[in-house]
């Protein structure tokens, strides 16, 4: 990126000033994920002006966009050429940006088969805490020159630097997709997913909720048709299936909507990231399982330590995705050695500690 | 590597270090006589060598931790080593350092068919994981050409690719957890059995960190259901441009082949003499294009691939009829390196990545460089992901050929950066591409790499001197070179 770009030059000035004064900045794209992560502190650093697709070459399977580019705009451009972001990032509103998507590192139903945001990040241009513009990675899929700093940005919640531009791997949209549904309880559904996972099936996504398992098969038409015959179940109409997966992806499905009353009553939405074959998790409340068992959403009034203990028993970790009281921390704390590395990296990228303090961990 | 005012002699230092290590390791696990350490003087980049003070061969986590604690206390550099198949000198010893060989960490700990994962020690060979998973119908996807010898720990260090990574991803896409030790011997775990972990994605920086951030002892990888069937198309092209355009057309057609490889005429001739696989010797370029999946899927995809390749101007198409023929098609590609050994006393394998659309342009540049440097070059490409492996043929007995070969290699890397690519796709920087790092990264970017290293290894004892060039080195190199096509201080008047 050209540092003389007026939008970028302004950001550089703001960051240098913040560094000099030691005053925190909260980085903001479209502001659609303000509910996520720890408390927001400091002056707003709005990157939405840094917008636009810088380059898109369908035959290279790569798109480069400036951080403030709206995700819906990027996806529309890809769709025109029969391509997509295969990890289905959630859109919590139409204002969500590319930078916010990378920084949050959240992915949708297809993540289990297609990989996460980080798996599709090829390169990032970022602004560090000293106001320097740095580029890591690039626009090619295979690149091992230096440490993989660009992928470290995915899910970093802006604590290391301001993402200015990102290059992302894109993929052709699936030629065919069919959704099947099965009336199964949790135990049966998880058991069956464990069997299917190890078979050569075009399994793209799955979701279990309310005694019903949905499975999306996607890929070559012949492969999808053959898998449908093999798996059985009831085929869901294309429209209903699209609405169901979109509802999960964007969390517009009613399971995810916590009203102010729910929140006031202490109900929280927890995201449990579990080893896929982990046994059912027992908590009070309601559950929705995605990623063949690797992501288990809970709506519960249970205490944070109970939820974290339940996740830990199965070898996983729990994130307070939505909730009124975040005193117990949003993310599961990491151990001493990992925290020292986190602090060392923070020092490396943002020595004055200006970017999003406390958004990831209280002492970072 | 000592801060004391008077530097002890190397012999004295070696005696002290060996004595300290002997407190933690059995006698047979420490090598220090020159005749014993000689096999460890280099990895597969044999042109660069150094003699280590000692080589240790621990066989337990406790021993690895003890070695690291001792070396940390004595401020001794530690270079972890797997099978030594690396092509960039990443495992080259340090004269004042210890080689930590992890060859004894060769056990497969657990295959979990329900979770589709395998937990293995770092010294397990890449192909051994797939062999162990085969009874469950599963396999480990990344398949570097050295897969019969290279270890998973080395794959983690290099973020290795392979011919199938276009569809199945690199090491980084296929590893869930890495266990090991920090430089001071403290145990550490990156990632987990779940798909993600809280906090920063430290696994992202560990993968491909060339042994400079931590020592890996155990790796949990994802296993993938083995496709029921694979078929391969071998397409001939009369000119390089059409072959390059065919690659773009396949991707544009919404096809992601399981493998998409290109060989030029020189390479085809070399491998044909080596494996006798019926390659088309008259073709300017050969494209191998593979489809895998269910029988229905493969049938559908092969048809579409044939259409695209035909309209892209392929002069001849052969589709593998059975598994034996498919393996025959691949045998040449998989043997490209040994076959090159038959063409010339020595060869240097380069490894850069460029945008796919620049393939033809790059090949023409390489052709010109052949006359410029007076050396021959044969080319194999992971065409699907733009990763080139030009093999420069030379004679190491001739110092001038070595010099020209190095210049030729550097020219290829710098051309790759200029075309929008990178100096290394999958072999790593190691010691070999330090100068080229100066071309790809600005001083501030390189300084950040140093800071990242210090976040893990404050005293810079793990594999020091690799991957990140010093400012001084870049300044020397930069006198003749430019960064990203820009001369330093572009405003300065020049004659």
């Amino acid at each position: 990126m050209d540092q003389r770009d007026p939008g970028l030059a302004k950001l550089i000035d703001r960051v240098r000033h913040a560094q000099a004064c030691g005053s925190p900045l909260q980085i903001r794209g479209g502001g659609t994920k303000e509910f996520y992560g720890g408390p927001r502190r400091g002056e707003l650093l709005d990157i939405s002006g840094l917008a636009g697709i810088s380059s898109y070459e369908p035959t290279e399977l790569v798109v480069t966009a400036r951080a403030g580019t709206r995700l819906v705009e990027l996806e529309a451009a890809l769709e025109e050429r029969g391509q997509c972001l295969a990890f289905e990032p959630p859109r919590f509103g139409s204002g969500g940006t590319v930078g916010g998507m990378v920084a949050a590192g959240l992915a949708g139903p297809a993540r289990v088969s297609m990989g996460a945001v980080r798996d599709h990040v090829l390169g990032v241009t970022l602004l560090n805490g000293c106001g320097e513009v740095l580029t890591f990675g690039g626009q090619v899929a295979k690149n091992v020159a230096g440490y993989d700093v660009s992928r470290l940005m995915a899910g970093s919640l802006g604590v290391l630097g301001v993402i200015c531009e990102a290059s992302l791997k894109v993929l052709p949209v699936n030629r065919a997709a069919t959704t099947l549904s099965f009336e199964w309880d949790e135990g049966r559904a998880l058991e069956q997913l464990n069997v299917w996972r190890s078979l050569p099936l075009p399994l793209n996504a799955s979701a279990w909720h309310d005694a019903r398992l949905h499975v999306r098969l996607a890929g070559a038409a012949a492969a999808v048709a053959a898998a449908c015959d093999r798996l059985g179940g009831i085929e869901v109409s294309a429209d209903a299936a699209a609405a169901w997966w979109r509802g999960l992806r964007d969390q517009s499905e009613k399971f995810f909507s916590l009203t102010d009353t729910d929140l006031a009553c202490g109900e929280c939405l927890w995201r449990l990231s579990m080893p896929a074959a982990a046994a059912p998790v027992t908590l009070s409340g309601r559950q929705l399982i995605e990623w063949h068992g690797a992501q288990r959403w809970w709506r519960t009034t249970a205490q944070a330590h109970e939820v974290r203990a339940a996740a830990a028993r199965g070898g996983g970790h729990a994130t307070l995705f939505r909730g009124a009281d975040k005193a117990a921390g949003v993310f599961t704390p990491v151990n001493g050695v990992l925290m020292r590395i986190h602090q060392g990296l923070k020092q490396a990228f943002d020595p004055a500690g200006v970017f999003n303090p406390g958004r990831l961990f209280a002492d970072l | 590597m000592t801060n004391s005012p008077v530097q002890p002699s190397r012999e004295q230092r070696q005696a002290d270090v060996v004595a300290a290590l002997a407190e933690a390791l059995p006698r047979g696990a420490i090598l220090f006589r020159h005749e014993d350490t000689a096999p460890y003087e280099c990895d597969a980049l044999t042109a660069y060598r150094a003699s280590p003070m000692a080589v240790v061969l621990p066989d337990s986590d406790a021993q690895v931790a003890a070695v690291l604690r001792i070396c940390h206390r004595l401020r001794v550099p530690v270079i972890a080593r797997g099978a030594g198949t690396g092509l960039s000198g990443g495992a080259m010893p340090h004269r004042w350092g210890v080689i930590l060989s992890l060859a004894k960490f060769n056990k497969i700990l657990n295959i979990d068919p329900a979770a589709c994962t395998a937990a293995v020690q770092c010294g397990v060979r890449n192909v051994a994981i797939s062999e162990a998973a085969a009874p469950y119908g599963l396999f480990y996807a990344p398949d570097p050409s050295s897969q019969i010898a290279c270890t998973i720990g080395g794959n983690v260090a290099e973020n290795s690719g392979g011919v199938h990574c276009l569809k199945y991803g690199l090491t980084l896409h296929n590893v869930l957890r890495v266990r090991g030790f920090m430089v001071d011997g403290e145990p550490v775990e990156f990632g987990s059995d779940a798909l993600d972990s809280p906090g920063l994605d430290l696994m992202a920086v560990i993968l491909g960190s060339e042994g400079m951030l931590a020592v890996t002892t155990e790796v949990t990888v994802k296993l993938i259901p083995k496709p029921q069937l694979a078929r391969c198309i071998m397409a001939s092209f009369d000119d390089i441009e059409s072959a390059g355009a065919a690659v773009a057309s396949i991707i544009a057609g919404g096809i992601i082949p399981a493998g998409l490889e290109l060989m030029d005429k020189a390479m085809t001739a070399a491998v044909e003499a080596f494996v006798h696989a019926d390659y088309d010797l008259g073709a300017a370029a050969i494209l191998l294009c593979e489809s895998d999946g269910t029988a229905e899927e493969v049938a559908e995809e092969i048809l579409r691939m044939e259409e695209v390749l035909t309209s892209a101007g392929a002069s001849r198409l052969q589709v593998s009829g059975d598994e034996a023929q498919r393996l025959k098609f691949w045998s040449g590609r998989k043997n490209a390196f040994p076959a090159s050994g038959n063409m010339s006393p020595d060869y240097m394998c380069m490894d850069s990545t460029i945008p796919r659309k620049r393939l033809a342009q790059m090949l023409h540049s390489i052709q010109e460089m052949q006359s410029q440097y007076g050396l021959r070059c044969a080319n194999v490409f992971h065409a699907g992901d733009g990763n080139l492996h030009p093999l420069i043929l030379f004679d190491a007995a001739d110092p001038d050929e070595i010099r020209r070969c190095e210049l030729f290699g550097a020219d290829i890397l710098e051309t790759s950066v200029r075309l929008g690519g990178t100096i290394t796709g999958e072999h790593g920087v190691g010691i070999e591409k330090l100068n080229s790092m100066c071309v790809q990264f600005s001083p501030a970017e390189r300084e950040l790499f140093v800071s990242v290293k210090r976040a893990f290894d404050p005293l810079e004892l793990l594999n020091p001197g690799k991957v990140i060039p010093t400012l001084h080195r870049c300044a020397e190199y930069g006198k003749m070179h430019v960064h990203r096509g820009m001369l330093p201080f572009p405003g300065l008047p020049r004659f």
Side-chain angles (χ1 to χ4, degrees):
Chain A
M1 280 183 89
D2 190 341
Q3 303 199 21
R4 290 162 300 186
D5 174 292
L8 185 55
K10 214 167 93 187
L11 291 179
I12 294 172
D13 280 349
R14 289 281 310 276
V15 170
R16 287 193 178 145
H17 184 256
Q19 186 206 18
C21 312
S23 55
L25 291 171
Q26 55 166 302
I27 309 164
R28 187 178 187 273
T32 56
K33 290 182 275 288
E34 292 191 330
F35 66 87
Y36 186 60
R40 292 175 287 113
R41 287 174 43 207
E43 282 179 38
L44 276 184
L45 185 72
D46 185 356
I47 55 111
S48 60
L50 212 58
I53 295 171
S54 317
S55 71
Y56 173 36
E57 303 211 34
T59 61
E60 300 291 329
L61 298 176
V62 58
V63 65
T64 300
R66 308 208 311 165
T69 311
R70 287 191 308 145
L71 188 51
V72 287
E73 184 193 324
L74 176 70
E75 292 196 290
L78 299 178
E79 200 181 339
E80 239 171 65
R81 306 299 296 266
Q83 296 186 333
C84 66
L85 298 172
F87 51 94
E88 297 188 307
R91 299 149 300 195
F92 295 104
S94 61
T97 61
V98 170
M101 174 192 80
V102 174
L106 298 170
R111 186 263 174 265
V112 67
S113 54
M114 303 308 294
V117 179
R118 62 94 95 150
D119 296 312
H120 294 80
V121 169
L122 298 179
V124 159
T125 294
L126 66 94
L127 190 55
N128 70 4
C130 305
E132 294 170 318
V133 179
L134 310 172
T135 297
F136 298 99
Q139 302 193 338
V140 291
K142 281 165 92 175
N143 186 354
V144 292
Y147 306 125
D148 200 343
V149 170
S150 59
R151 289 191 172 91
L152 180 63
M153 293 299 128
S156 65
L157 287 181
V159 302
L160 298 180
V162 184
I163 297 166
C164 299
E165 187 174 72
S167 293
L168 301 162
K169 179 181 175 179
V170 298
L171 283 172
V173 295
N174 288 303
R175 300 178 73 80
T178 300
T179 296
L180 303 174
S181 97
F182 304 84
E183 302 258 345
W184 286 341
D185 65 18
E186 180 189 3
R188 172 80 202 277
L190 288 175
E191 201 176 300
Q192 195 60 57
L193 286 164
N194 283 343
V195 173
W196 286 340
R197 188 196 344 264
S198 61
L199 299 174
L201 295 166
L203 220 52
N204 176 267
S206 68
W208 178 89
H209 181 56
D210 254 351
R212 186 183 293 274
L213 175 70
H214 283 89
V215 171
R216 182 168 66 193
L217 301 157
V224 171
C228 285
D229 289 347
R230 182 168 174 180
L231 266 48
I234 298 163
E235 190 173 325
V236 179
S237 76
D239 288 347
W244 166 249
W245 297 113
R246 192 166 52 241
L248 289 184
R249 174 182 175 179
D250 297 336
Q251 300 201 347
S252 54
E253 218 286 322
K254 64 180 182 303
F255 172 85
F256 293 100
S257 63
L258 274 76
T259 62
D260 289 345
T261 319
D262 297 331
L263 292 167
C265 294
E267 192 172 8
C268 296
L269 176 66
W270 285 87
R271 172 181 176 270
L272 275 66
S273 175
M274 305 296 293
V281 172
T282 314
L283 281 168
S284 61
R286 292 189 291 142
Q287 188 185 201
L288 190 151
I289 301 178
E290 286 188 276
W291 301 358
H292 309 348
Q295 178 166 261
R296 306 185 192 189
W297 298 98
W298 277 92
R299 279 182 70 144
T300 179
T301 52
Q303 296 294 304
H305 67 88
E306 292 174 60
V307 181
R308 295 219 155 98
R313 274 193 297 277
H317 65 95
T319 301
L320 176 54
F321 205 80
R322 286 181 195 265
D325 178 10
K326 294 183 174 180
V330 168
F331 301 99
T332 299
V334 294
N335 65 24
V337 58
L338 294 181
M339 188 40 102
R340 277 203 303 284
I341 299 171
H342 274 72
Q343 283 161 344
L345 289 171
K346 177 74 175 171
Q347 181 68 28
F349 284 84
D350 177 20
V354 297
F355 295 133
N356 287 5
R359 192 87 194 258
L360 184 59
F361 291 121
D363 41 359
L364 198 71
Chain B
M1 283 309 292
T2 169
N3 297 323
S4 60
V6 182
Q7 184 133 335
S9 72
R10 188 164 179 276
E11 288 67 31
Q12 183 57 52
R13 179 76 168 150
Q14 184 184 42
D16 293 347
V17 170
V18 169
L21 289 169
E23 286 168 24
L25 293 176
R27 185 185 293 259
I30 310 173
L31 311 175
F32 58 93
R33 289 187 194 87
H34 183 70
E35 61 268 32
D36 295 329
T37 60
Y40 297 87
E41 282 182 355
C42 65
D43 56 19
L45 183 72
T46 54
Y48 297 83
R49 292 168 184 270
S51 180
M53 279 201 305
V55 177
V56 293
L57 296 122
D59 65 4
S60 68
D61 277 359
Q63 287 183 1
V64 171
V67 166
L68 287 166
R69 273 197 303 272
I70 291 164
C71 291
H72 191 252
R73 190 182 74 221
L74 299 175
R75 307 292 190 253
V76 177
V78 175
I79 292 89
R81 179 183 170 107
T85 56
L87 290 161
S88 56
M92 191 185 86
H94 189 289
R95 212 176 112 71
W96 294 86
V98 165
I99 289 281
L100 174 58
S101 166
L102 294 154
K104 291 180 182 170
F105 281 71
N106 59 1
K107 289 175 198 64
I108 290 174
L109 302 172
N110 182 38
I111 304 270
D112 183 344
C116 289
T117 60
V120 305
Q121 287 189 315
C122 61
V124 168
R125 291 173 305 120
N126 172 296
V127 76
I129 302 175
S130 289
E131 285 166 3
Y136 307 99
L138 302 170
F139 79 117
Y140 175 62
D143 59 343
S145 292
S146 57
Q147 69 180 144
I148 55 166
C150 65
T151 64
I152 189 68
N155 291 176
V156 166
E158 302 294 330
N159 187 18
S160 307
V163 296
H164 288 99
C165 61
L166 176 62
K167 182 167 176 179
Y168 294 107
L170 307 159
T171 304
L172 87 97
H173 300 108
N174 289 280
V175 167
L176 283 172
R177 173 168 59 194
V178 168
R179 278 187 174 145
F181 294 90
M182 300 299 288
V183 65
D184 58 3
E186 184 167 8
V188 68
E189 186 171 312
F190 303 103
S192 71
D193 285 333
L195 291 177
D196 48 57
S197 299
L200 296 170
D201 191 349
L202 300 179
M203 181 79 97
V205 259
I206 285 296
L207 285 155
S209 61
E210 304 198 26
M212 292 180 67
L213 303 183
V215 173
T216 300
T217 54
E218 186 189 317
V219 184
T220 301
V221 299
K222 288 182 204 167
L223 300 174
I224 291 173
K226 206 169 157 47
Q228 289 168 329
L229 179 70
R231 291 179 75 195
C232 184
I233 303 177
M234 183 153 76
S236 307
F237 289 87
D238 293 335
D239 59 88
I240 282 288
E241 283 81 4
S242 319
V247 170
S249 306
I250 285 183
I251 304 293
I255 306 171
I256 304 292
L260 188 56
E261 299 283 317
L262 194 148
M263 294 191 288
D264 71 358
K265 195 169 189 166
M267 184 52 81
T268 307
V271 299
E272 178 60 23
F274 196 76
V275 300
H276 310 293
D278 262 344
Y279 284 94
D280 185 347
L281 295 173
I286 298 269
L287 203 57
L288 291 170
C289 183
E290 181 153 292
S291 169
D292 69 8
T294 63
E296 303 88 358
E297 204 172 357
V298 172
E300 185 180 318
E301 199 166 73
I302 286 280
L303 264 180
R304 291 175 52 222
M305 287 171 170
E306 284 182 297
E307 281 169 24
V308 174
L309 291 167
T310 305
S311 47
S315 54
R316 186 177 161 201
L317 288 184
Q318 300 176 71
V319 185
S320 65
D322 55 28
E323 187 62 6
Q325 195 179 17
R326 184 184 76 89
L327 294 174
K328 201 171 165 190
F329 284 1
W330 278 108
S331 65
R333 170 61 190 88
K334 288 262 181 187
N335 284 295
F337 294 2
S340 303
N342 281 5
M343 282 196 288
S344 161
D346 299 280
Y347 65 86
M348 178 140 101
C349 173
M350 304 309 297
D351 159 54
S352 67
T353 308
I354 53 168
R356 273 176 283 266
K357 63 178 174 190
R358 306 283 192 197
L359 280 176
Q361 191 181 346
M362 186 72 195
L363 278 169
H364 283 302
S365 297
I366 290 176
Q367 227 151 35
E368 283 164 21
M369 291 178 207
Q370 295 192 46
S371 19
Q372 185 183 343
Y373 298 104
L375 294 171
R376 289 177 300 152
C377 182
N379 290 289
V380 281
F381 294 151
H382 301 301
D385 32 44
N387 187 195
L388 328 170
H389 292 315
L391 292 138
I392 306 171
L393 310 177
F394 71 109
D395 182 355
D398 178 346
D400 193 59
E401 285 213 1
I402 297 180
R403 188 188 61 83
R404 280 183 281 135
C405 175
E406 283 180 346
L407 290 173
F408 193 160
D411 204 349
I412 290 176
L413 299 187
E414 284 165 34
T415 305
S416 301
V417 173
R418 215 163 37 241
L419 294 178
T422 176
I423 59 166
T424 173
E426 57 182 359
H427 294 171
V429 175
I431 199 88
E432 182 204 13
K433 303 186 191 86
L434 279 171
N435 284 341
S436 302
M437 285 290 282
C438 311
V439 179
Q440 188 164 334
F441 294 98
S442 72
E445 288 157 358
R446 295 194 303 268
E447 191 50 43
L448 187 84
F449 286 145
V450 174
S451 306
V452 168
K453 172 155 179 68
R454 288 185 186 143
F456 287 81
D457 173 17
L459 300 174
E460 300 187 48
L461 291 172
L462 287 177
N463 213 6
K466 310 282 172 64
V467 180
I468 316 161
T470 59
L471 282 174
H472 176 73
R473 184 181 186 123
C474 287
E476 287 297 306
Y477 191 68
K479 281 178 187 162
M480 315 119 40
H481 289 77
V482 293
H483 176 69
R484 287 185 191 142
M486 298 272 285
L487 284 163
F489 312 110
L492 279 182
R494 289 167 204 275
F495 52 87

